[in-house]
Amino acid sequence: NDLLDRHQRADWGVVDPPQIIRNRRALRRGQQILSAYLLGDKRERLWILTSPDRTTTTLLLPREFADMNRAHLIQWFHPALRIEFTASVAYGENVVPIFARQGQFDAACGPHAVAMAMSLLKEMDVSLLCERRAGVAARLWKATQETFFEGTSVGQLAEIVESLKTGRLVEPFQGNHRQCLAYAEAQLADGHLVVASWRSGRQHHWILIIGCEGLRVGSTFTSHALLALDPSTNEPLLAGYNARLEFAMPAATRRNSSARYLTLDGEEWQVKLTSALTIGARQ
């Protein structure tokens, strides 16, 4: 208790001067605070760490602190996603695949991505899309016919999602690559799904972003790739995604102005995000 009181009073023990400066800055900016104290005859160091949101304070011995500050590769996904034999969602006791494969002659990658999002959100079963005569699946089937060969802009895709009448948040966004990337990451962190478009040369394509990959060091997570379901490539097997958008080298602090896009079937492009569409909770 005495050490926690010292930590709370900004008596940070035996940390070095640069850490004291970081702690003072952290008090103003809402960042992580770190203290260190020497215990007993062996002068063993005890670390006390307070999280940026001030909700958690952790006491760590040297071995625990060293392990916490080792880099770990982390992947996280939308909470509704189930990774079974393929990307799936649970409907009661049943587990239903959500992947929708785009044909070779159509330009309906946007509606295909929306179909997967709606399936993941349990608004429809994508495997029965063409058989439905009423409800969300039928409305999506009808709306897709109008843009099947021409493709869709973010505005058109937003109109399609609105026409499904699910009452869910629909928010289109346009900007440069870095702006779209920051927007997609923020929406994912809030628990929403993001349908995003990228451009490579003359090719314009829509994907469903369902997760993120990065390095965690201590309580700090630095993302370097978005994980996606791409309707134009092979179905993911024993995985939750079949494409990845690598926008920075692992542990890099600066985001690139374009991204390396890789798919399960070995395709690779240098791409730039051009727009994104949030599909979120019911309003």
Side-chain angles (χ1 to χ4, degrees):
N1 287 339
D2 291 341
L3 295 181
L4 286 173
D5 287 342
R6 290 176 62 186
H7 177 74
Q8 190 172 19
R9 294 197 310 267
D11 173 2
W12 294 305
V14 296
V15 295
D16 56 25
Q19 182 61 50
I20 292 175
I21 294 172
R22 286 193 289 269
N23 283 347
R24 290 172 178 168
R25 187 183 301 124
L27 288 174
R28 299 192 303 270
R29 299 182 180 178
Q31 298 169 335
Q32 176 180 282
I33 298 173
L34 179 67
S35 298
Y37 309 95
L38 300 178
L39 302 178
D41 295 337
K42 294 184 178 180
R43 310 297 284 170
E44 188 173 29
R45 190 176 295 248
L46 176 75
W47 301 91
I48 300 182
L49 184 71
T50 296
S51 62
D53 61 7
R54 307 294 183 256
T55 60
T56 305
T57 294
T58 306
L59 280 67
L60 298 164
L61 292 173
R63 287 192 303 273
E64 297 169 319
F65 184 75
D67 183 66
M68 185 175 180
N69 283 276
R70 193 173 293 122
H72 300 276
L73 182 67
I74 300 291
Q75 288 183 342
W76 58 267
F77 297 91
H78 187 275
L81 183 72
R82 292 277 297 268
I83 302 175
E84 303 283 337
F85 182 72
T86 186
S88 305
V89 65
Y91 277 85
E93 297 182 355
N94 298 320
V95 177
V96 179
I98 64 170
F99 183 70
R101 180 64 191 259
Q102 179 187 4
Q104 293 185 351
F105 295 101
D106 68 76
C109 48
H112 277 79
V114 168
M116 292 188 288
M118 288 297 155
S119 187
L120 186 56
L121 295 172
K122 302 181 184 181
E123 297 288 355
M124 50 171 267
D125 183 345
V126 74
S127 65
L128 302 175
L129 180 62
C130 62
E131 300 177 12
R132 295 300 187 194
R133 297 295 178 265
V136 174
R139 289 193 286 272
L140 180 57
W141 179 260
K142 182 178 180 180
T144 300
Q145 295 176 36
E146 299 176 5
T147 59
F148 192 73
F149 293 107
E150 291 80 15
T152 50
S153 66
V154 67
Q156 290 172 318
L157 202 59
E159 290 178 2
I160 288 176
V161 179
E162 292 281 9
S163 74
L164 304 182
K165 301 177 182 178
T166 62
R168 290 189 174 273
L169 167 71
V170 181
E171 182 180 272
F173 179 86
Q174 284 185 291
N176 62 35
H177 174 77
R178 288 196 179 107
Q179 291 170 336
C180 289
L181 181 60
Y183 175 83
E185 286 189 280
Q187 295 302 308
L188 282 173
D190 285 343
H192 303 316
L193 286 171
V194 179
V195 180
S197 68
W198 55 253
R199 184 175 296 280
S200 179
R202 298 180 62 185
Q203 185 175 5
H204 180 253
H205 189 55
W206 287 98
I207 57 176
L208 174 63
I209 299 174
I210 41 78
C212 186
E213 178 182 286
L215 291 178
R216 182 181 297 280
V217 180
S219 61
T220 302
F221 177 78
T222 304
S223 57
H224 58 245
L226 295 178
L227 308 175
L229 287 173
D230 186 331
S232 71
T233 193
N234 293 327
E235 181 177 9
L237 300 179
L238 301 177
Y241 66 100
N242 62 1
R244 51 189 293 120
L245 191 82
E246 298 179 348
F247 50 81
M249 294 296 291
T253 57
R254 177 176 171 79
R255 304 298 169 81
N256 300 327
S257 58
S258 63
R260 181 172 175 243
Y261 187 74
L262 303 98
T263 68
L264 186 66
D265 55 7
E267 296 286 350
E268 180 178 334
W269 296 279
Q270 199 69 23
V271 306
K272 293 185 177 183
L273 294 179
T274 59
S275 57
L277 179 70
T278 293
I279 303 175
R282 288 191 178 87
Q283 296 174 297

